[in-house]
Amino acid sequence: MSDDNTTHFGYREVETDEKSGLVAEVFDSVASRYDVMNDLMSAGIHRIWKRFTIELSGVRRGNRVLDIAGGTGDLAAKFAPMVGDTGAVVLADINASMLRVGRDRLIDRGVPGNLFYVQADAQYLPFPDGHFDCITIAFGLRNVTDKDLALRSMNRILKPGGRLLVLEFSKPRNPLLSRAYDAYSFGVLPVMGRLVAGDSDSYQYLAESIRMHPDQETLRTMMEDAGFERCDYHNMTGGIVAVHRGYKAQG
Amino acid sequence: MTDLRMPTIHTAGLAAAEAAINGALRLSPHSVEALKELAGQVLALECTRPALTVYLSSEKDGSLRLQGVHDGPVATRVVGQLEDFAELARAEDPAAALINGGVQLQGSSATLIDMQRVFGAVDIDWEAPLVDGLGDIAGHQLAGMLRGAFDWSQQASGNLRRQVGEFAVEEARLSPPRLALEGFYDDVQQLSERGERLEQRVALLRQRLQRLQDS
């Protein structure tokens, strides 16, 4: 956060209380076309990033998994058969539109009955202490107003030894790739958003919010400060995306 | 855990291979049933050159899962170079190939042998997708032609392999007979075990000698 009363919304400085409402507007606007846009914007690579995140999760039969900012349920749909009848997957999102699209989509696909839906704010997660074996948040943390508060909230509800996986846009490691990525983000994305989703502002915000998100090392430090240990990260696609992993301390 | 230098490429490659294999398996119902029985067992294939680790497991629905990272128990770990794996995959007798080949095995060999047998016995039924795409009559006829061509090629390659083998052993004397070769492998194995035992005994004697010198 910028200071006690303001935070950033993309490149704009806004009142802290105002940000969640602005983010909600963005996702209300894009919810119906979210999956199509993800495929278009990333050329389908977001599925590979998510698949790798699932591999890192180490989730197995009987586990309880929470997918925060789960959107249209890509991760939750994969976790549900992995945890089986004896486990449970909770798909949580602060945004009712996204949650509704995700729930309808998963029900239509016949995803098992061990999947639950909760509208929840990542900063104040409504679950008991030490409840989950694994928490994932994919492309959601950068939209959270107070990231430190959200990370501490996730730490609280994880079981000791449980793991958090944060999949998020990050900073490309190569300067040339970084320049090409900037040109794509600010030149192509808003146009694509206008043509496909009828909304260029939301995709302008997407590009800006990525630039304002902490880089790989900063996010790792934030996770350590929130109480996670053995934190590491894997850069993917040259650092455009990184998946961070941390474990809740045992006992 | 595997150290992945390029996780996106690694994961994309495995995802593509997994989709292709599962697509083929869907046309071989017998293999899907066999894989269901292996559900939950994880087989790690650790290739040292080129460095690549793949974790294979089957799901309850008989589909195959390929992973670059697996954080959990592994039933069998097989370590070797790419050519060793290729030799193992081609082997008619996987147990013999394991003993005589260049791969190292950790854990139970049963998972590996079962998996190899499943893939060795994949029998793709081309008729269903062809009938779906071309209709009953044309699909059935094309499937019959493909099946005939496939059977003929298998028979021809089997005959050729047998004749080349007989020529190499009997006529050209380029290779010893199979029984002689197996006897030789047994001798080598015994020699290796005796060598290891001798090494242990020498080490023991050295320790005793050292203790005597110290006292």
Side-chain angles (χ1 to χ4, degrees):
Chain A
M1 295 215 308
S2 304
D3 60 41
D4 285 346
N5 298 318
T6 63
T7 186
H8 53 79
F9 173 73
Y11 287 163
R12 280 165 56 197
E13 197 82 1
V14 297
E15 294 292 318
T16 303
D17 297 341
E18 206 185 334
K19 177 166 175 172
S20 58
L22 291 167
V23 172
E25 279 175 27
V26 167
F27 284 93
D28 282 339
S29 164
V30 301
S32 61
R33 293 290 180 103
Y34 188 76
D35 286 332
V36 180
M37 279 304 292
N38 276 350
D39 279 334
L40 271 177
M41 287 185 307
S42 70
I45 299 173
H46 74 102
R47 295 176 192 279
I48 302 299
W49 298 331
K50 287 171 182 167
R51 184 185 165 108
F52 183 62
T53 306
I54 290 167
E55 287 186 7
L56 288 180
S57 73
V59 163
R60 60 191 75 169
R61 195 154 282 277
N63 280 177
R64 280 198 205 119
V65 181
L66 172 65
D67 181 23
I68 303 172
T72 51
D74 281 349
L75 292 181
K78 300 282 184 200
F79 282 133
M82 288 167 72
V83 302
D85 302 337
T86 51
V89 178
V90 179
L91 171 61
D93 204 300
I94 192 171
N95 187 279
S97 305
M98 292 295 289
L99 200 60
R100 197 177 309 116
V101 171
R103 187 184 56 190
D104 291 350
R105 181 175 168 229
L106 296 181
I107 290 171
D108 288 349
R109 283 169 58 181
V111 172
N114 56 0
L115 190 51
F116 304 91
Y117 305 89
V118 174
Q119 187 175 1
D121 184 339
Q123 300 166 116
Y124 311 100
L125 290 163
F127 302 101
D129 294 359
H131 190 67
F132 290 99
D133 298 282
C134 178
I135 297 177
T136 55
I137 177 166
F139 305 114
L141 190 64
R142 72 177 189 285
N143 298 313
V144 175
T145 306
D146 188 338
K147 296 172 183 64
D148 296 311
L149 183 61
L151 289 171
R152 285 198 300 276
S153 179
M154 294 173 206
N155 188 274
R156 178 184 66 76
I157 62 171
L158 265 179
K159 289 179 184 173
R163 68 185 78 184
L164 167 68
L165 290 156
V166 181
L167 176 65
E168 191 52 271
F169 290 105
S170 208
K171 298 285 180 283
R173 314 311 288 169
N174 182 306
L176 274 177
L177 176 66
S178 187
R179 277 213 288 278
Y181 181 50
D182 277 348
Y184 175 74
S185 304
F186 292 102
V188 180
L189 276 193
V191 176
M192 211 184 269
R194 192 175 65 238
L195 294 175
V196 179
D199 176 3
S200 61
D201 290 347
S202 295
Y203 290 91
Q204 179 73 26
Y205 161 72
L206 171 75
E208 291 176 5
S209 65
I210 291 168
R211 299 314 184 277
M212 297 304 289
H213 188 66
D215 65 12
Q216 288 89 332
E217 285 299 328
T218 310
L219 181 53
R220 177 158 73 173
T221 307
M222 286 166 68
M223 286 171 67
E224 286 165 351
D225 292 345
F228 291 95
E229 60 179 28
R230 289 183 282 148
C231 297
D232 61 3
Y233 63 84
H234 291 268
N235 282 322
M236 290 188 282
T237 320
I240 287 176
V241 160
V243 56
H244 283 70
R245 179 175 52 177
Y247 297 82
K248 181 170 177 173
Q250 297 271 8
Chain B
M1 202 193 79
T2 318
D3 175 30
L4 291 174
R5 284 162 200 267
M6 290 188 287
T8 314
I9 292 171
H10 191 152
T11 311
L14 290 179
E18 184 185 287
I21 293 169
N22 282 325
L25 283 174
R26 273 195 291 278
L27 302 176
S28 176
H30 162 79
S31 308
V32 171
E33 288 305 313
L35 277 174
K36 280 181 187 172
E37 290 173 21
L38 300 176
Q41 296 181 49
V42 179
L43 170 68
L45 302 177
E46 195 176 320
C47 184
T48 50
R49 205 171 59 185
L52 178 75
T53 302
V54 179
Y55 297 88
L56 266 92
S57 57
S58 62
E59 304 287 321
K60 274 185 164 178
D61 63 358
S63 61
L64 195 76
R65 197 163 164 219
L66 302 184
Q67 292 175 272
V69 180
H70 172 74
D71 197 359
V74 171
T76 313
R77 183 177 292 276
V78 191
V79 185
Q81 296 181 3
L82 186 62
E83 52 264 34
D84 301 325
F85 284 107
E87 198 175 310
L88 183 63
R90 286 196 306 263
E92 284 175 14
D93 183 353
L98 263 181
I99 295 165
N100 301 324
V103 296
Q104 290 177 351
L105 191 74
Q106 295 159 16
S108 155
S109 62
T111 311
L112 174 67
I113 292 170
D114 289 346
M115 223 35 121
Q116 205 273 357
R117 286 220 168 97
V118 169
F119 286 106
V122 168
D123 181 17
I124 294 178
D125 174 16
W126 296 103
E127 189 146 344
L130 289 173
V131 165
D132 284 347
L134 301 173
D136 288 348
I137 296 170
H140 176 70
Q141 283 185 338
L142 187 55
M145 284 165 62
L146 281 172
R147 209 178 294 124
F150 186 67
D151 289 346
W152 179 84
S153 68
Q154 270 199 324
Q155 204 179 351
S157 74
N159 284 342
L160 183 66
R161 204 166 47 229
R162 199 178 59 249
Q163 284 171 7
V164 168
E166 279 172 9
F167 176 79
V169 174
E170 305 293 339
E171 305 292 333
R173 302 208 174 265
L174 293 171
S175 165
R178 185 182 178 88
L179 282 175
L181 205 59
E182 283 176 0
F184 174 72
Y185 282 143
D186 284 344
D187 290 345
V188 171
Q189 182 74 20
Q190 280 181 20
L191 187 64
S192 160
E193 286 169 1
R194 283 180 188 164
E196 280 175 21
R197 279 199 290 270
L198 185 63
E199 196 181 341
Q200 295 299 320
R201 279 182 191 160
V202 169
L204 201 65
L205 285 171
R206 271 213 188 98
Q207 281 179 2
R208 281 185 188 164
L209 193 64
Q210 188 65 42
R211 275 202 298 272
L212 282 172
Q213 281 174 347
D214 292 345
S215 61

